[in-house]
Amino acid sequence: MLLLEVISGERLPKPERGKMRVHKINNVNKALDFIASKGVKLVSIGAEEIVDGNAKMTLGMIWTIILRFAIQDISVEETSAKEGLLLWCQRKTAPYKNVNVQNFHISWKDGLAFNALIHRHRPELIEYDKLRKDDPVTNLNNAFEVAEKYLDIPKMLDAEDIVNTARPDEKAIMTYVSSFYHAFSGAQKAETAANRICKVLAVNQENEHLMEDYERLASDLLEWIRRTIPWLEDRVPQKTIQEMQQKLEDFRDYRRVHKPPKVQEKCQLEINFNTLQTKLRLSNRPAFMPSEGRMVSDINNCWQHLEQAEKGYEEWLLNEIRRLERLDHLAEKFRQKASIHEAWTDGKEAMLKHRDYETATLSDIKALIRKHEAFESDLAAHQDRVEQIAAIAQELNELDYYDSHNVNTRCQKICDQWDALGSLTHSRREALEKTEKQLETIDQLHLEYAKRAAPFNNWMESAMEDLQDMFIVHTIEEIEGLISAHDQFKSTLPDADREREAILAIHKEAQRIAESNHIKLSGSNPYTTVTPQIINSKWEKVQQLVPKRDHALLEEQSKQQSNEHLRRQFASQANIVGPWIQTKMEEIGRISIEMNGTLEDQLSHLKQYERSIVDYKPNLDLLEQQHQLIQEALIFDNKHTNYTMEHIRVGWEQLLTTIARTINEIENQILTRDAKGISQEQMQEFRASFNHFDKDHGGALGPEEFKACLISLGYDVENDRQGDAEFNRIMSVVDPNHSGLVTFQAFIDFMSRETTDTDTADQVIASFKVLAGDKNFITAEELRRELPPDQAEYCIARMAPYQGPDAMPGALDYKSFSTALYGESDL
């Protein structure tokens, strides 16, 4: 009856003596019914056994009641009550030496485990280091007395009974230990709250570290771009080909050595940014907004500016080299023609100013007239060369030749001298014609010789000039054209030799007539300065220059054949590498929309694919080597391929970036799946639905496609008012920038939020409230006591002072701090 009153809380009437047993049974039955109503299952026990004093049955019932009201509510990591209590004891006593809790009997005999439990929660009550394992009675009594005095836990056990028993009573110790668990449950709640806060803060600290890394990497990359672009936009031309070729070599070093690491940095920066944003979304944190000017789009814009400057710089370099090459050729041609003309004009002014006709005989005058006519013919023949010299000088000026001043000065001197020669020629003709009437005798043979010798001499000079003329060609067709022209010139040499022999025959005929008629000639032909010796000397020079020209043309032909070999060699490799890159880009596009195996299988397949792409790099290196040989040979076109080195480089960089981004997308999907508890089957279902409606395989869905995708997954977004409202809500989540497109990552983020639970600011606030003992604020001392040092200081540095009416000195506002962690307010 006493047990019944204790359990039910009611005072029962005492039965009369004769009716004692019946009333006892009734009373016990009421107690048993009450116990059963509290969820306690009593098996094979009845009121009669208890009334009759069955000790075994009664003790079994008492243990069942203890298990229900003192132990059953204990839950640690979803284990049973007994296992949960044992796990709790093991965790709490793990740091203590000589304590190894494996059960609820012999593990407690030396008393150290009881003392360790108290010291762990109330270290000021126990001097644990002074306890000795070989003094169990003292240890047990110490723990029992402290628990009774300071923790309000009754002394349920006897130290001597425990020590003197081989195997202490398991249920008794378990019952006593459960009292410790309930006594320290408040501390357990504080520990749980502290663990939750530590987890949230750790996520924030890691994200801040990733943000700092992104800012640093972005700043470094932008600084490199800002330093590089002015160099690429520098278009100050150099004076010589050697200086411009050095600039081209510097540019090649930039493309081969300096830029590739920056391409990788840019790609890695985008991957890091995407991964960070995924982590922030998964932890319900606000999206990361880089500092002004450091967005991925800003970096892409700067990078595009860099590539534009790079392309323009390379085109400018090659055009400058072509221009300087043309200038050098023209300048050398100008110097050759000018030297020939100046050599021809040497002494001509003095000859035209000579007044020899005033004392000459008639025959001398006639000779002077014929000589002057020959000079005029020679002068007219040189008119074309003077015009060529002036035209070359004009072209050098238009092409901005660095030594244009000296060229212009020399050209002006030649033109002025030419005008003077024309004027003097006209004056001398008038003087000779004035006295011509007085002169009759003329030597026809000498005149004929002079008339034929002068053009022939001029032809030889022109031939020597052409044979020594510099040439510049870029194709094998051009050199073959020059060889053909040279062969045509050589075919005219027999006729020219016959003309030479005919001219020399005229001279010999004049000498024969003079000798046969005893005529004493004055010496050289009075009508021309072109002697047979000069003709023979120049003819011999022409004969020597012809094989030299043959050799030069053959050398150039060999060079152009070598250049053609380089073109074909580059084209052969480029026509393999270019389509290979295009094929790989298309294959990556197919892989990104196919679902073969788990995400880990897809990731493994992509990484193997990435390694195969990286292993192909030697083919690019070989192509770069061949391209360098082409540039060093100054080859500017290649009809054997549509692929340029620039196209190949851009395609290769896009291929590497695309495979890296695809791998990162799969990694983010795995991160999303694991963090949100999405199963592999769910992920495959999401991917299959998305791909089904992604008709153009563009990796994004339009609004109507996305609505169809949602309907296929069971969302009620039909074409009615309620469905439209729900769809508009979803679109505001997946497309906050109103771009009209929904990416797969945004789709997965939405589905993960819809199907899984997430941590919230309210949970963190509740945890802080536990640590603060239900206060609306928390103190630095409480934070340092409950949290690890680094995370406690992290909170103290960022929490604002608490301003509520119940504030006290040093009070900190944990609510605003918690909402700021999730982007709902500012820190």
Side-chain angles (χ1 to χ4, degrees):
M1 287 183 64
L2 178 59
L3 175 63
L4 179 61
E5 291 176 354
V6 170
I7 294 174
S8 65
E10 298 178 3
R11 188 69 175 179
L12 300 178
K14 292 184 180 180
E16 298 178 8
R17 180 172 297 273
K19 301 178 181 179
M20 181 67 73
R21 176 174 169 76
V22 174
H23 286 294
K24 287 182 178 179
I25 291 173
N26 287 336
N27 290 340
V28 171
N29 276 328
K30 289 183 179 180
L32 295 179
D33 291 341
F34 178 79
I35 293 170
S37 70
K38 294 299 183 180
V40 180
K41 293 183 179 180
L42 300 174
V43 181
S44 301
I45 186 170
E48 291 81 358
E49 286 84 355
I50 296 174
V51 171
D52 292 341
N54 188 325
K56 183 176 180 180
M57 287 290 187
T58 303
L59 290 174
M61 182 189 70
I62 293 173
W63 170 246
T64 302
I65 295 171
I66 292 173
L67 187 63
R68 166 61 181 87
F69 293 104
I71 298 175
Q72 185 173 317
D73 290 338
I74 298 173
S75 177
V76 180
E77 296 187 353
E78 304 300 327
T79 61
S80 67
K82 178 180 178 180
E83 291 174 348
L85 185 61
L86 183 62
L87 179 60
W88 179 79
C89 294
Q90 289 172 341
R91 287 183 174 175
K92 295 302 179 180
T93 60
Y96 294 87
K97 62 181 181 179
N98 297 325
V99 177
N100 183 17
V101 176
Q102 297 297 325
N103 49 57
F104 285 110
H105 39 81
I106 61 174
S107 294
W108 303 83
K109 283 189 68 173
D110 59 11
L112 292 178
F114 290 112
N115 284 277
L117 275 182
I118 298 172
H119 185 269
R120 178 64 183 269
H121 296 91
R122 297 287 301 275
E124 76 277 7
L125 301 179
I126 298 287
E127 293 183 285
Y128 186 83
D129 292 336
K130 294 184 178 181
L131 300 177
R132 297 183 3 240
K133 187 175 180 63
D134 58 359
D135 191 3
V137 174
T138 301
N139 297 340
L140 289 167
N141 284 327
N142 182 65
F144 298 161
E145 292 168 2
V146 168
E148 186 173 36
K149 182 177 181 181
Y150 296 102
L151 303 179
D152 200 24
I153 297 175
K155 186 177 180 182
M156 303 179 188
L157 305 174
D158 182 83
E160 285 74 10
D161 289 345
I162 293 175
V163 172
N164 296 328
T165 304
R167 189 178 188 275
D169 184 82
E170 183 178 49
K171 294 178 178 178
I173 291 180
M174 186 175 174
T175 302
Y176 186 56
V177 171
S178 68
S179 300
F180 284 89
Y181 177 86
H182 291 295
F184 297 136
S185 61
Q188 179 66 26
K189 291 180 180 178
E191 181 179 348
T192 301
N195 288 337
R196 182 183 294 119
I197 292 171
C198 288
K199 183 178 179 181
V200 171
L201 295 179
V203 170
N204 256 56
Q205 289 170 319
E206 180 186 359
N207 290 342
E208 288 179 0
H209 177 69
L210 292 175
M211 294 174 190
E212 292 169 359
D213 285 347
Y214 175 89
E215 292 281 351
R216 176 177 55 78
L217 290 174
S219 296
D220 292 346
L221 183 58
L222 288 170
E223 178 60 27
W224 178 81
I225 294 173
R226 280 193 284 269
R227 290 199 312 270
T228 304
I229 287 178
W231 174 66
L232 293 172
E233 290 180 342
D234 179 14
R235 301 292 194 273
V236 178
Q238 303 299 313
K239 294 182 178 180
T240 65
I241 291 180
Q242 291 74 20
E243 291 173 316
M244 289 305 299
Q245 285 176 333
Q246 182 58 49
K247 278 183 170 288
L248 182 59
E249 186 60 33
D250 293 340
F251 179 73
R252 289 181 186 137
D253 285 341
Y254 157 78
R255 288 306 306 262
R256 290 193 306 262
V257 179
H258 302 295
K259 185 185 177 187
K262 299 302 178 184
V263 173
Q264 295 177 1
E265 287 181 16
K266 175 177 175 291
C267 179
Q268 189 60 46
L269 194 67
E270 293 180 8
I271 290 173
N272 290 351
F273 180 84
N274 292 336
T275 300
L276 174 59
Q277 298 293 41
T278 298
K279 288 185 175 182
L280 290 171
R281 285 194 299 271
L282 294 177
S283 58
N284 286 336
R285 303 310 194 267
F288 169 53
M289 289 297 293
S291 302
E292 184 176 358
R294 294 189 178 91
M295 292 287 292
V296 171
S297 58
D298 297 324
I299 294 172
N300 286 334
N301 290 337
C302 291
W303 190 265
Q304 186 177 9
H305 187 189
L306 173 76
E307 292 188 330
Q308 289 173 349
E310 180 180 300
K311 181 179 179 183
Y313 188 68
E314 186 174 33
E315 292 175 354
W316 173 75
L317 284 175
L318 295 176
N319 288 335
E320 268 304 298
I321 290 175
R322 293 191 192 102
R323 185 182 70 82
L324 290 175
E325 185 181 39
R326 172 70 176 162
L327 283 175
D328 282 356
H329 171 69
L330 288 175
E332 182 59 27
K333 192 170 185 178
F334 174 85
R335 286 190 287 271
Q336 284 188 1
K337 289 186 177 292
S339 296
I340 293 171
H341 179 77
E342 288 166 347
W344 178 83
T345 59
D346 185 38
K348 294 295 188 292
E349 286 189 25
M351 182 269 292
L352 291 172
K353 291 178 181 179
H354 193 212
R355 304 176 68 84
D356 52 347
Y357 55 84
E358 293 180 351
T359 58
T361 62
L362 181 60
S363 59
D364 292 333
I365 289 298
K366 289 187 176 293
L368 289 175
I369 290 175
R370 300 298 183 269
K371 182 178 179 180
H372 192 68
E373 289 175 351
F375 173 76
E376 286 180 328
S377 177
D378 199 8
L379 185 70
H382 280 78
Q383 175 71 32
D384 183 61
R385 182 180 291 111
V386 174
E387 291 175 356
Q388 290 176 5
I389 290 171
I392 293 172
Q394 178 64 28
E395 189 171 358
L396 287 171
N397 278 303
E398 291 173 354
L399 293 176
D400 195 23
Y401 182 53
Y402 77 95
D403 198 22
S404 293
H405 174 72
N406 290 332
V407 169
N408 292 336
T409 301
R410 190 172 184 181
C411 180
Q412 188 61 47
K413 183 179 179 181
I414 289 172
C415 292
D416 292 344
Q417 187 184 43
W418 184 256
D419 292 339
L421 287 176
S423 177
L424 290 172
T425 299
H426 180 71
S427 298
R428 184 170 177 82
R429 169 176 282 281
E430 287 181 345
L432 291 173
E433 287 176 351
K434 186 177 179 179
T435 58
E436 184 181 13
K437 295 178 182 179
Q438 303 171 5
L439 305 175
E440 295 176 350
T441 307
I442 185 169
D443 187 351
Q444 290 297 331
L445 288 174
H446 279 184
L447 179 59
E448 184 181 356
Y449 171 88
K451 286 185 176 181
R452 294 182 67 174
F456 185 72
N457 181 65
N458 188 63
W459 174 85
M460 288 191 296
E461 287 181 349
S462 296
M464 287 188 292
E465 183 179 347
D466 291 341
L467 289 170
Q468 297 178 85
D469 185 26
M470 294 180 63
F471 54 84
I472 177 170
V473 296
H474 294 98
T475 66
I476 195 166
E477 289 79 10
E478 291 177 351
I479 189 61
E480 287 175 351
L482 290 178
I483 290 173
S484 176
H486 183 60
D487 290 340
Q488 185 176 359
F489 166 76
K490 289 193 293 185
S491 68
T492 66
L493 290 179
D495 290 339
D497 191 32
R498 287 190 288 272
E499 175 67 9
R500 179 183 67 86
E501 291 177 349
I503 292 172
L504 293 178
I506 294 173
H507 176 74
K508 290 178 180 178
E509 180 64 15
Q511 287 183 329
R512 186 190 66 77
I513 293 174
E515 290 174 358
S516 63
N517 293 286
H518 307 287
I519 298 173
K520 186 178 180 181
L521 298 175
S522 59
S524 60
N525 191 318
Y527 305 122
T528 182
T529 59
V530 180
T531 65
Q533 292 79 11
I534 291 174
I535 290 176
N536 286 331
S537 174
K538 290 185 177 180
W539 179 253
E540 184 179 352
K541 180 68 174 175
V542 169
Q543 295 293 96
Q544 293 172 353
L545 290 173
V546 168
K548 290 183 179 179
R549 183 73 170 185
D550 285 334
H551 179 70
L553 291 172
L554 289 175
E555 277 190 344
E556 184 62 30
Q557 185 183 39
S558 176
K559 175 185 173 184
Q560 291 304 322
Q561 288 172 344
S562 173
N563 288 354
E564 184 67 10
H565 171 71
L566 291 176
R567 288 188 183 97
R568 292 180 182 275
Q569 178 178 265
F570 176 84
S572 175
Q573 181 73 0
N575 289 337
I576 294 173
V577 173
W580 184 89
I581 291 175
Q582 182 63 33
T583 299
K584 293 301 176 184
M585 287 291 290
E586 294 171 357
E587 289 177 359
I588 292 172
R590 289 197 299 272
I591 290 172
S592 65
I593 64 173
E594 293 174 353
M595 295 180 299
N596 296 320
T598 65
L599 289 178
E600 285 75 6
D601 293 337
Q602 296 175 37
L603 181 62
S604 175
H605 178 59
L606 283 171
K607 288 188 175 179
Q608 290 177 359
Y609 204 79
E610 183 182 39
R611 285 193 292 273
S612 71
I613 291 174
V614 173
D615 291 342
Y616 196 74
K617 181 64 163 57
N619 294 281
L620 270 294
D621 297 337
L622 175 61
L623 201 60
E624 284 284 6
Q625 295 170 5
Q626 294 170 352
H627 178 64
Q628 181 167 347
L629 292 176
I630 281 180
Q631 286 198 324
E632 289 173 353
L634 298 178
I635 299 172
F636 302 111
D637 57 358
N638 193 340
K639 66 182 181 181
H640 304 296
T641 181
N642 293 325
Y643 293 100
T644 66
M645 196 64 233
E646 179 65 25
H647 294 154
I648 297 292
R649 291 185 191 120
V650 171
W652 177 254
E653 292 170 2
Q654 289 177 345
L655 180 60
L656 291 178
T657 300
T658 300
I659 186 65
R661 285 173 177 166
T662 305
I663 288 173
N664 180 243
E665 179 182 346
I666 297 299
E667 289 173 339
N668 283 343
Q669 290 177 28
I670 292 173
L671 190 62
T672 300
R673 181 199 66 191
D674 294 344
K676 297 299 185 179
I678 300 175
S679 67
Q680 182 66 35
E681 291 73 17
Q682 284 179 303
M683 185 64 76
Q684 288 180 341
E685 181 185 6
F686 296 157
R687 170 55 87 178
S689 297
F690 189 90
N691 286 348
H692 176 77
F693 294 100
D694 184 13
K695 303 297 184 182
D696 60 356
H697 306 304
L701 301 181
E704 291 304 317
E705 295 171 328
F706 181 55
K707 177 183 283 188
C709 182
L710 289 176
I711 292 173
S712 73
L713 293 172
Y715 275 81
D716 186 11
V717 287
E718 297 293 345
N719 292 323
D720 53 34
R721 180 176 298 179
Q722 183 177 355
D724 290 341
E726 174 63 9
F727 182 68
N728 290 333
R729 179 192 72 80
I730 295 173
M731 282 299 295
S732 68
V733 173
V734 298
D735 184 21
N737 297 324
H738 306 292
S739 65
L741 293 173
V742 181
T743 65
F744 182 68
Q745 187 61 46
F747 170 65
I748 288 297
D749 289 342
F750 169 74
M751 295 305 297
S752 67
R753 284 195 297 271
E754 293 292 307
T755 58
T756 59
D757 294 328
T758 58
D759 60 326
T760 63
D762 289 340
Q763 290 179 345
V764 177
I765 291 172
S767 298
F768 273 118
K769 192 166 187 178
V770 171
L771 299 187
D774 264 355
K775 300 192 299 295
N776 291 322
F777 59 85
I778 195 168
T779 66
E781 180 183 358
E782 289 170 331
L783 288 170
R784 292 190 177 104
R785 184 181 69 224
E786 301 292 346
L787 299 179
D790 59 331
Q791 294 188 336
E793 299 305 323
Y794 178 86
C795 294
I796 294 169
R798 288 165 172 75
M799 281 187 182
Y802 177 68
Q803 304 294 340
D806 53 342
M808 57 176 286
L812 299 174
D813 187 352
Y814 60 77
K815 291 184 179 179
S816 64
F817 172 78
S818 299
T819 55
L821 291 177
Y822 292 85
E824 299 173 16
S825 65
D826 296 328
L827 281 177

